Amino acid sequence: MATIQGVQRVEGDITVPGDKSISHRAVMFSALAEGTTSIEGFLPGADCLSTISCFRKLGIAIEQDGDRVQVEGKGWYGLTEPADILDIGNSGTTIRLMMGILSTQPFHSVLIGDESIARRPMKRVTGPLRQMGADIAGRQNGEYTPLSLRGGKLTGIEYHSPVSSAQIKSAVLLAGLQAEGTTTLYEPEVSRDHTERMLRSFGVEVESFTGGVRVRGGQRLVSPGRIHVPGDISSAAFPLVAAAMLPDSRIIVRNVGINPTRSGIIDVLKEMGAGLMLHNERIVNGEPVADVEVAYSSLKGIEIGGEIIPRLIDEIPVIAVLATQAEGVTVIKDAAELKVKETNRIDTVVAELRKMGAHIEPTEDGMIIHGGTPLTGAVCDSHGDHRIGMAAAVAGLAAAGETTVLNAASIDVSFPGFFATLQQISE
Ligand code: S3P
């Protein structure tokens, strides 16, 4: 449980923990590569620690101390059959990418996770992997955990993914790296491309083209030696939204990843009228990075849908909070994927923001928010979903009185130190 007092304004010059998507991939690819990799800026949140624990059970030596990690890669086939179940906790990225990797391994493994994972759809990944030749069993014919895999000889496929998902894309590409022939994945809109970028830094050839991506089988990974993980834009979004909606506020978040497949929140903040500036733009390990500054300005409601959705899917809970403080109506559509995240985020966002007095309606593929509403402190619940807990806390900053967030420990999944950061910027 955590309590948050409403504040007049926020101000600060801060950093946020490392990018979750990049941290997972850094550990996974380093484990599969030849050579030792030192990772700096790693996110020591629960999800990425689950990835480390799985690779240790697969026989990889990994040292972790805060945001520094050292991985002794043994090459793609250096993994050994785990003596124990691989527990991925709350992490959808871990389980889906692991399935791609384990499908190539000539041994048996079992994957489980927490209650939320047990409700999340897995056939979107087990389906294409089975088409490639992987032997996978699970509840409801491979839709739900526990999942059991026996990998082996795979054949490359041409796969048209019905959803734009980096987890599906990455699982298929990773399996494709050890399949016979080439593997091509097409997706409706481009999803985050950290896998493609990082594989290239490990010496893998990956062909990206409009509408899809292709890899040739039989490629090995060679460690780049060192990886710097930038700050997570999905975590930076919370203090940046606080600055955008509280009069007279200004926040600068240093060293944030601004990969164009992730930067939808920047476009939305600008379009709604926030004062946003990027400083010090640079490329680090193939990923664009900048210092992001947001200052309060009066905001207006907008329509959010189409190609931008995969570029801000994880930021929709906090965008909904922002929209409650904008003039006019904000419509979020084409976002049915929200229903299969850590919680059904259409339902949980609407339920929690209504408790604070927001005028918000759920729709089949998003939500409609009527802005310009003063919020009042309330007892909110994260429902075990880190981003719902953080969205409620940021709404609490803009609310009159005190807000309580129940089940706040889940925030540790992606943003350890979140409440200390809120404290630091609150006035
Ligand atoms: C992620 C991909 C996204 C995102 C998740 C992390 C990744 O999920 O929501 O938080 O690291 O690949 P989908 O692939 O299901 O869209």
Side-chain angles (χ1 to χ4, degrees):
M1 190 181 100
T3 50
I4 298 101
Q5 303 298 333
V7 294
Q8 295 298 317
R9 58 188 289 269
V10 291
E11 176 151 16
D13 186 335
I14 60 174
T15 56
V16 291
D19 186 280
K20 182 156 77 70
S21 294
I22 298 177
S23 295
H24 282 301
R25 286 158 174 83
V27 170
M28 292 180 180
F29 300 173
S30 300
L32 293 165
E34 290 150 36
T36 302
T37 310
S38 298
I39 305 167
E40 286 165 28
F42 173 80
L43 166 64
D47 269 13
C48 299
L49 296 177
S50 294
T51 292
I52 289 187
S53 136
C54 288
F55 277 93
R56 284 184 176 144
K57 286 185 180 170
L58 289 160
I60 302 299
I62 303 176
E63 275 176 41
Q64 181 246 333
D65 182 8
D67 71 350
R68 288 177 178 267
V69 180
Q70 181 153 315
V71 184
E72 306 293 335
K74 295 204 282 186
W76 196 281
Y77 293 106
L79 305 184
T80 49
E81 185 167 67
D84 195 3
I85 286 172
L86 302 174
D87 185 350
I88 56 78
N90 189 243
S91 178
T93 305
T94 309
I95 191 163
R96 296 203 177 106
L97 271 60
M98 291 299 292
M99 280 196 267
I101 294 165
L102 293 171
S103 290
T104 68
Q105 300 291 333
F107 54 68
H108 174 247
S109 44
V110 179
L111 290 160
I112 59 158
D114 67 7
E115 278 170 33
S116 152
I117 280 290
R119 290 192 297 269
R120 297 183 67 184
M122 296 297 155
K123 230 181 232 164
R124 48 179 57 198
V125 175
T126 57
L129 293 177
R130 280 171 170 165
Q131 281 180 33
M132 297 176 83
D135 184 359
I136 307 176
R139 266 189 313 133
Q140 293 193 30
N141 192 22
E143 178 67 301
Y144 299 113
T145 56
L147 293 165
S148 130
L149 289 93
R150 175 166 289 282
K153 227 175 137 23
L154 304 181
T155 315
I157 55 168
E158 290 230 334
Y159 187 66
H160 290 264
S161 177
V163 276
S164 302
S165 156
Q167 294 177 356
I168 301 174
K169 174 171 66 176
S170 303
V172 171
L173 289 181
L174 290 167
L177 283 181
Q178 301 307 320
E180 205 177 294
T182 60
T183 296
T184 310
L185 180 131
Y186 302 91
E187 56 183 353
E189 311 287 355
V190 60
S191 64
R192 63 188 67 189
D193 66 357
H194 305 300
T195 293
E196 296 91 304
R197 287 174 189 255
M198 196 181 290
L199 282 175
R200 289 186 189 111
S201 73
F202 279 79
V204 173
E205 277 177 37
V206 184
E207 185 194 336
S208 300
F209 54 89
T210 310
V213 50
R214 179 177 296 124
V215 292
R216 185 171 37 77
Q219 299 197 59
R220 56 192 198 110
L221 275 64
V222 179
S223 169
R226 201 170 280 278
I227 298 175
H228 294 269
V229 180
D232 199 328
I233 191 165
S234 297
S235 297
F238 295 98
L240 292 176
V241 161
M245 67 181 181
L246 290 166
D248 201 24
S249 296
R250 180 179 298 273
I251 294 277
I252 181 156
V253 188
R254 308 264 174 204
N255 190 36
V256 181
I258 54 159
N259 180 316
T261 61
R262 296 282 301 284
S263 60
I265 179 72
I266 291 179
D267 301 357
V268 161
L269 281 164
K270 281 188 186 161
E271 201 184 330
M272 290 179 82
L276 186 144
M277 277 197 292
L278 297 179
H279 306 281
N280 251 324
E281 287 188 57
R282 54 210 187 263
I283 301 284
V284 180
N285 289 118
E287 290 280 354
V289 177
D291 302 336
V292 185
E293 181 174 6
V294 168
Y296 170 81
S297 173
S298 62
L299 302 171
K300 61 177 195 305
I302 60 170
E303 188 171 300
I304 304 170
E307 69 77 37
I308 200 172
I309 294 295
R311 299 176 49 231
L312 49 62
I313 189 76
D314 291 340
E315 286 63 77
I316 290 176
V318 79
I319 289 172
V321 175
L322 183 66
T324 67
Q325 301 307 299
E327 272 313 309
V329 179
T330 295
V331 177
I332 299 173
K333 58 179 193 175
D334 305 321
E337 274 296 293
L338 289 172
K339 295 179 183 170
V340 292
K341 294 296 177 189
E342 286 82 334
T343 54
N344 176 332
R345 286 184 177 161
I346 296 179
D347 290 351
T348 48
V349 166
V350 168
E352 296 315 304
L353 290 182
R354 275 187 178 165
K355 288 179 188 169
M356 304 178 85
H359 295 153
I360 177 167
E361 294 150 36
T363 63
E364 254 321 292
D365 63 351
M367 54 194 88
I368 299 171
I369 304 115
H370 300 270
T373 324
L375 300 178
T376 325
V379 178
C380 294
D381 194 338
S382 78
H383 300 267
D385 182 337
H386 53 133
R387 299 201 205 284
I388 298 300
M390 289 188 278
V394 167
L397 291 180
E402 185 175 279
T403 296
T404 301
V405 181
L406 304 176
N407 293 309
S410 61
I411 291 171
D412 222 31
V413 153
S414 65
F415 198 155
F418 172 73
F419 289 105
T421 299
L422 283 199
Q423 192 70 44
Q424 191 187 337
I425 63 173
S426 294
E427 298 221 335

